[in-house]
């Protein structure tokens, strides 16, 4: 029956929830994207193998590198990707396309048990985008320290490689620049510091990024600078010290500091202008 592959897809999602328990809600954007990609990839792999199994062509799902959106009237994709805003479209497309490709490749290496191992071991978007790359330590950045007195940590995230690719490519409109920006990612922490009392708009956003080499850090430094210039057209990004550049808008001051394998971004309220 036509609906049976779709039912198998949905039942796999139920099984995934049982398997993961409460852990399916990941604590960072990066881990959530990776988990969602594996979840959709595994469910679509099952559905397409089930669809082709009746014809004795189940392995064609892997051999032909099929697109799940081309079958069952697109019902294996939960959204019409073309109708989404650019940033959402980029992230959701990653989940469905990269997730299915990597699930199929893992299955080809050793069946469902190999896919199970990949899901457990490869937990970042970097792991999906670069399956051949060496694994990185779980924690490379130190615990966050308040950037100034009177501020407390209000939120913490990690964008990961795909988050950076999406940010840069959608703001600048340049896909190649986005890929350049994300390549070589090792770790990042996006932190929001807000006053213990008073207006939260007076808070600070801090983004600490770590890269595999100084060259990759320099590429991200350059690409993020281009992103700011595209976002705030006509406002110059100026050198304000060794390895430091700044851009000031009416409300915010953006500072990019590059030192070795690290690029540090600080976004604070713009300092008051002293009248002449």
């Amino acid at each position: 029956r036509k609906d049976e592959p779709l039912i198998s897809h949905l039942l796999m999602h139920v099984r995934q929830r049982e398997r993961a328990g409460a852990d399916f809600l990941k604590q960072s954007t990066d881990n959530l994207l990776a988990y969602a990609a594996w979840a959709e990839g595994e469910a679509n792999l099952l559905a397409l193998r089930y669809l082709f199994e009746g014809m004795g062509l189940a392995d064609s799902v892997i051999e032909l590198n099929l697109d799940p959106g081309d079958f069952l009237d697109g019902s294996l994709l939960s959204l019409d990707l073309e109708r989404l805003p650019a940033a959402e479209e980029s992230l959701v497309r990653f989940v469905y396309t990269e997730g299915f490709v990597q699930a199929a490749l893992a299955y080809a290496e050793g069946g469902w048990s190999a896919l199970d191992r990949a899901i457990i071991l490869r937990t970042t978007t970097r792991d999906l985008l670069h399956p051949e790359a060496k694994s990185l330590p779980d924690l490379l950045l130190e615990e966050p320290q308040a950037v100034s007195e009177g501020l407390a940590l209000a939120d913490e995230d990690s964008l990961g490689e795909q988050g950076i690719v999406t940010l840069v490519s959608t703001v600048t409109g340049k896909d190649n620049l986005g890929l350049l920006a994300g390549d070589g990612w090792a770790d990042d922490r996006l932190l929001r510091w807000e006053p213990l009392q008073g207006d939260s708009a007076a808070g600070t956003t801090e983004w600490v990024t770590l890269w595999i080499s100084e060259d990759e850090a320099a590429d991200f430094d350059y690409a993020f600078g281009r992103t700011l210039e595209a976002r705030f057209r006509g406002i110059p990004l100026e050198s304000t010290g060794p390895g430091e550049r700044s851009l000031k808008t009416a409300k915010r001051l953006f500072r990019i500091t590059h030192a070795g394998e690290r690029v540090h971004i600080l976004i604070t309220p713009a300092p008051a202008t002293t009248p002449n």
Side-chain angles (χ1 to χ4, degrees):
R1 286 171 42 182
K2 183 178 180 179
D3 60 349
E4 287 180 344
L6 181 59
I7 291 171
S8 72
H9 174 110
L10 296 174
L11 289 175
M12 177 56 82
H13 282 321
V14 173
R15 180 69 188 98
Q16 289 163 350
R17 291 290 182 91
E18 292 175 343
R19 187 171 61 198
D23 290 340
F24 80 94
L25 289 175
K26 304 301 177 182
Q27 295 186 359
S28 75
T29 295
D30 186 37
N31 293 141
L32 180 60
L33 285 171
Y35 175 84
W38 283 123
E40 292 301 335
E42 184 181 35
N44 280 333
L45 178 63
L46 176 66
L48 288 185
R49 292 193 83 258
Y50 188 85
L51 176 66
F52 281 83
E53 191 173 31
M55 298 177 282
L57 299 172
D59 288 338
S60 297
V61 174
I62 300 168
E63 296 169 1
L64 299 179
N65 195 21
L66 302 177
D67 182 347
D70 293 338
F71 299 90
L72 302 173
D73 300 322
S75 58
L76 294 177
L77 305 185
S78 64
L79 299 166
D80 183 350
L81 301 186
E82 302 298 333
R83 294 178 179 271
L84 294 175
E88 290 183 44
E89 189 271 342
S90 174
L91 296 175
V92 175
R93 188 174 296 280
F94 167 83
V95 164
Y96 281 105
T97 59
E98 200 63 43
F100 181 75
V101 168
Q102 294 305 319
L105 289 174
Y107 181 87
E109 290 178 0
W112 295 110
S113 59
L115 177 53
D116 288 342
R117 288 194 298 273
I119 292 171
I120 293 170
L121 297 175
R122 295 164 57 189
T123 59
T124 68
T125 56
R126 172 189 181 270
D127 294 332
L128 276 87
L129 291 167
H130 307 285
E132 76 293 344
K134 294 181 179 179
S135 60
L136 297 172
D138 290 336
L139 184 62
L140 296 173
L141 293 173
E142 63 275 1
E143 290 298 315
Q145 301 293 324
V147 292
S148 64
E149 291 186 10
L151 295 180
L153 187 62
D155 197 13
E156 181 176 357
D157 198 2
S158 172
L159 295 190
E161 181 169 345
Q162 183 58 38
I164 291 170
V165 170
T166 295
L167 170 66
V168 174
S169 62
T170 55
V171 175
T172 64
K174 298 183 181 298
D175 292 340
N176 287 341
L177 186 63
L179 294 173
L180 176 73
D183 192 34
W185 174 93
D187 200 1
D188 79 277
R189 282 191 177 177
L190 181 61
L191 309 166
R192 177 62 185 173
W193 302 95
E194 294 184 353
L196 295 170
Q197 296 179 341
D199 186 4
S200 62
T204 292
T205 298
E206 181 184 20
W207 193 12
V208 187
T209 69
L210 186 62
W211 301 87
I212 293 173
S213 74
E214 292 188 21
D215 288 341
E216 270 101 357
D219 287 341
F220 172 72
D221 182 6
Y222 166 77
F224 189 77
R226 291 278 302 275
T227 303
L228 286 181
E229 291 173 332
R231 175 66 180 83
F232 303 105
R233 296 188 183 278
I235 302 178
L237 181 62
E238 301 176 334
S239 175
T240 49
E244 181 179 285
R245 296 180 295 162
S246 297
L247 182 148
K248 182 182 176 183
T249 70
K251 295 183 178 181
R252 294 284 182 269
L253 174 64
F254 297 79
R255 284 184 291 176
I256 310 171
T257 306
H258 174 201
E261 291 86 15
R262 293 185 178 224
V263 179
H264 182 267
I265 296 159
L266 199 63
I267 307 171
T268 60
T273 303
T274 303
N276 294 328

